[in-house]
Amino acid sequence: MTSGTERPRSRLLPDTAPWRSSRDFRLTWTSGAVTMLGSIFTMTAIPLQIAELTGSPLAVGAVGAAELVPTVLFGLYGGVLADRADRRTVALATEVALAALSALLLANSLLGTPAVWPLYLAAGLAAAVQGLQQPSVDAMIPRLVPQDQLVAAGALLSLRWSIGGLAAPAAAGLLVATAGVPAAYLVDLGTFLLSIALLARVRPVPAERDPEAPPLREFVEGARYVAHRPDLLGTYLADLAATVFALPTALFPFLAAESDATWALGLLYSASAAGSLVAAATGGWTERVHRHGRPVLLSAALVGAATAAAAVAPDLWTVLLCLALAGGGHWIGDTFRSSIWNQSVPDELRGRAAGLELLIGSAGPALGDLRAGGLAARQGIRAALRTGGLLCLGTSAVLAAALPALWRYDQRAHRPDVAPESAP
């Protein structure tokens, strides 16, 4: 039986059934959108404030180092916590902690001479808190919407990130330029307070089991579960290939300089988000795809091919088009990966699976920047783009051959309302 919200198959617009059928999903989606908006304002303000206070590019770059380790360590424990505690409670408590950190940044920015160390402290603590929070938030979704709406829910969540990634950085930059850094922190604090009010209205999402082992052993249990499922493992590896090899964010300033178009730097940063937004806005087709492993692998191939094409693009506008195509590929991969995780991972392991996803989602872009920057220093910007794109394309082909379970994955085997034998 379906939820009764099925739409005409010819439509490309996103399926809004999860919004209509689940009050708690609407609240959670809106809370996340509000939080993301405010967080982007702070992510824009912190590097700018450090640059103003120190004048050191190294000091600005150190923010990433301050964030990466806490994200990894606390994200792993956050996955265990999501399978032990009430997920709504974890999300709400960590949101309160993040609001307190925003208040700290605001207070420091209002001092006559702001200190630098609170910026690093807040960045590291915020990364740790978000590492604790994200697995619980991700693991909540399958408990908030019907089984047959999980693909649509994943598409709507990706749409949220696409809209925010495109619009929020420009708005944040404008606000900081006109009203100063404290205004950005004030906006962030206000969005957290609104988000807390929304999350407080979501029903509890308690764990469906009692903890039976120490946290480290439980994490190992979750990692062992993923390792013994080639289809699930393949989703992580495809994501890692796309971010390590074909997410050339570190090269954007140099691409703009190479084209004598520093004015286009913002366009380079937003091109991927624009492509994701177009894919999300026309993503109604995703609900009619049943073999979800195939678009995971094909989207990674698209990301690689588009990145390699950017290396030989004759002008900046073609580069932007290629980056937008890669962004659309990232959106497709994210949508179907989340569907596989939400539909096929048992609820008692879902938090730990989300913790592993957070680990890869954090490490992949950082390693990608390191790879792209190092290769560009030795062989040039275009070579770094071309090599990364071809490596991503080749890796997706290897994964398709080495992990047939992912290529054959059929979501109808995990839906009680559709018979698996009906697959063509």
Side-chain angles (χ1 to χ4, degrees):
M1 176 181 293
T2 64
S3 62
T5 54
E6 191 171 332
R7 304 172 309 130
R9 287 182 174 268
S10 61
R11 293 181 60 181
L12 287 177
L13 295 178
D15 185 357
T16 59
W19 270 335
R20 299 195 305 272
S21 67
S22 173
R23 167 185 174 273
D24 287 332
F25 179 80
R26 289 195 301 273
L27 291 170
T28 303
W29 190 98
T30 306
S31 169
V34 169
T35 293
M36 179 183 61
L37 174 66
S39 297
I40 290 176
F41 275 72
T42 290
M43 290 166 57
T44 302
I46 286 179
L48 178 61
Q49 191 175 17
I50 292 176
E52 291 175 348
L53 293 173
T54 68
S56 168
L58 179 61
V60 175
V63 175
E67 294 173 335
L68 181 57
V69 173
T71 298
V72 171
L73 294 179
F74 285 86
L76 295 178
Y77 180 70
V80 175
L81 185 63
D83 291 334
R84 286 172 162 243
D86 185 300
R87 292 164 183 168
R88 193 285 304 261
T89 300
V90 173
L92 187 56
T94 49
E95 203 78 347
V96 171
L98 290 169
L101 291 173
S102 292
L104 169 65
L105 288 169
L106 176 61
N108 180 64
S109 70
L110 294 174
L111 296 176
T113 304
V116 175
W117 65 264
L119 302 177
Y120 292 105
L121 177 65
L125 289 176
V129 173
Q130 288 166 348
L132 292 174
Q133 180 189 72
Q134 196 60 49
S136 288
V137 173
D138 291 344
M140 283 171 60
I141 301 303
R143 300 271 294 275
L144 301 182
V145 300
Q147 180 87 355
D148 63 332
Q149 294 178 10
L150 285 174
V151 177
L156 290 174
L157 291 170
S158 296
L159 176 62
R160 180 182 71 189
W161 286 106
S162 301
I163 294 173
L166 183 63
L174 181 62
L175 179 67
V176 170
T178 56
V181 166
Y185 297 140
L186 182 61
V187 168
D188 195 19
L189 177 59
T191 58
F192 275 124
L193 295 177
L194 177 56
S195 176
I196 290 166
L198 292 169
L199 278 176
R201 299 178 61 196
V202 176
R203 62 177 173 83
V205 186
E208 294 191 340
R209 66 178 184 86
D210 294 324
E212 300 172 351
L216 180 59
R217 189 182 303 171
E218 292 209 339
F219 169 74
V220 171
E221 178 189 352
R224 186 180 296 118
Y225 171 79
V226 171
H228 282 82
R229 275 196 53 190
D231 53 350
L232 192 61
L233 180 62
T235 66
Y236 291 99
L237 294 176
D239 187 23
L240 197 61
T243 53
V244 171
F245 296 136
L247 194 64
T249 309
L251 303 180
F252 290 165
F254 303 99
L255 279 170
E258 178 186 81
S259 304
D260 195 24
T262 54
W263 54 268
L265 182 58
L267 294 177
L268 289 167
Y269 280 117
S270 61
S272 179
S276 295
L277 182 58
V278 171
T282 57
W285 59 271
T286 57
E287 66 190 83
R288 300 190 293 276
V289 176
H290 300 299
R291 299 187 184 277
H292 289 179
R294 295 181 182 182
V296 167
L297 292 166
L298 293 174
S299 65
L302 172 60
V303 170
T307 303
V312 296
D315 54 63
L316 185 61
W317 296 109
T318 309
V319 171
L320 291 170
L321 176 61
C322 292
L323 293 175
L325 287 173
H330 281 294
W331 180 87
I332 294 170
D334 290 343
T335 297
F336 285 103
R337 272 192 299 273
S338 67
S339 172
I340 291 174
W341 297 334
N342 289 336
Q343 288 183 330
S344 67
V345 177
D347 187 77
E348 63 271 15
L349 289 164
R350 193 169 285 135
R352 281 163 282 178
L356 284 170
E357 190 275 331
L358 178 62
L359 169 61
I360 290 173
S362 302
L367 292 172
D369 282 345
L370 182 62
R371 180 210 63 82
L375 190 58
R378 294 193 303 272
Q379 300 182 10
I381 309 295
R382 299 287 177 154
L385 277 172
R386 181 178 62 252
T387 302
L390 293 177
L391 283 172
C392 180
L393 184 60
T395 301
S396 47
V398 170
L399 290 175
L403 299 173
L406 177 58
W407 183 258
R408 294 195 304 263
Y409 179 91
D410 192 326
Q411 60 101 12
R412 287 170 289 192
H414 302 276
R415 278 182 54 177
D417 60 314
V418 181
E421 57 270 18
S422 66

